[in-house]
Amino acid sequence: DSGVTQTPKHLITATGQRVTLRCSPRSGDLSVYWYQQSLDQGLQFLIQYYNGEERAKGNILERFSAQQFPDLHSELNLSSLELGDSALYFCASSVWGGNTGELFFGEGSRLTVL
Amino acid sequence: AQSVTQLGSHVSVSEGALVLLRCNYSSSVPPYLFWYVQYPNQGLQLLLKYTTGATLVKGINGFEAEFKKSETSFHLTKPSAHMSDAAEYFCAVTSSGGSNYKLTFGKGTLLTVNP
């Protein structure tokens, strides 16, 4: 158990809909990262938050947004969903935003768009 | 820019045999290198990492990896495979002057262990 909690574990929805994925980081971790994992693209970094502030952006679509709340949990919002958004979405956390490379991953939220 | 190439998307070994998973990286600055493991239906877990110092690094579950600058490689090995090692393994790189969000992952190698 990494200590990172993600909900929901599975989600099935239709094209055009909007969903929210939730992540609670490990106790004490200030940084939260969102990754998308798909068969064709592999693991793609989406966005990082550090102590409530956006720290870095990766390959995140404009239809997607995220935030980190004062209690440090984070939400990833995916809107106007397309079939290609079907993937496993991981949240990871670390103590700070440095370069130790040690990220603690949740078990992921599997999104299926029909 | 950084990149990671994992040679072989699928490696199959017999129980008790040597495990060798290959990783080559590209980085314009001194790299920090990592191996992560993903068991079925779980998130990624750090196996081991190289930042500076000793080039042979030991990780959990009997795995080790050697940083070879001249070959730009960071191959993962284990002398004797166990059934519980069946998982997907990811090599990752970031730079000594970078941040965690710059962690670049390879496409992964699925390890199958046959009885």
Side-chain angles (χ1 to χ4, degrees), chain B residues 37-86:
Chain B
V37 60
Q38 183 180 23
Y39 296 105
N41 301 313
Q42 293 188 27
L44 281 73
Q45 176 186 358
L46 183 67
L47 259 184
L48 49 78
K49 67 178 181 181
Y50 166 80
T51 53
T52 58
T55 56
L56 181 64
V57 292
K58 296 186 185 299
I60 60 173
N61 302 334
F63 284 93
E64 62 182 37
E66 186 170 13
F67 169 58
K68 292 188 176 180
K69 184 179 177 181
S70 61
E71 297 177 10
T72 59
S73 69
F74 191 57
H75 301 331
L76 182 70
T77 60
K78 181 173 179 178
S80 177
H82 192 273
M83 297 294 288
S84 60
D85 295 326

Side-chain angles (χ1 to χ4, degrees), chain A residues 33 35 37 40-41 43 45 48 56 90 94 96-103 105-107, chain B residues 32 34 36 38 41-44 46 49 90 94-101 103 105 107:
Chain A
Y33 310 77
Y35 283 84
Q37 185 181 39
D40 53 343
Q41 297 288 331
L43 264 168
F45 167 70
Q48 177 201 2
F90 283 110
S94 67
W96 63 302
N99 65 343
T100 62
E102 183 156 14
L103 303 183
F105 284 79
E107 294 185 358
Chain B
Y32 285 3
F34 309 85
Y36 278 81
Q38 183 180 23
N41 301 313
Q42 293 188 27
L44 281 73
L46 183 67
K49 67 178 181 181
F90 294 88
T94 186
S95 65
S96 57
S99 300
N100 280 341
Y101 73 86
L103 200 59
F105 288 88
K107 295 266 190 196

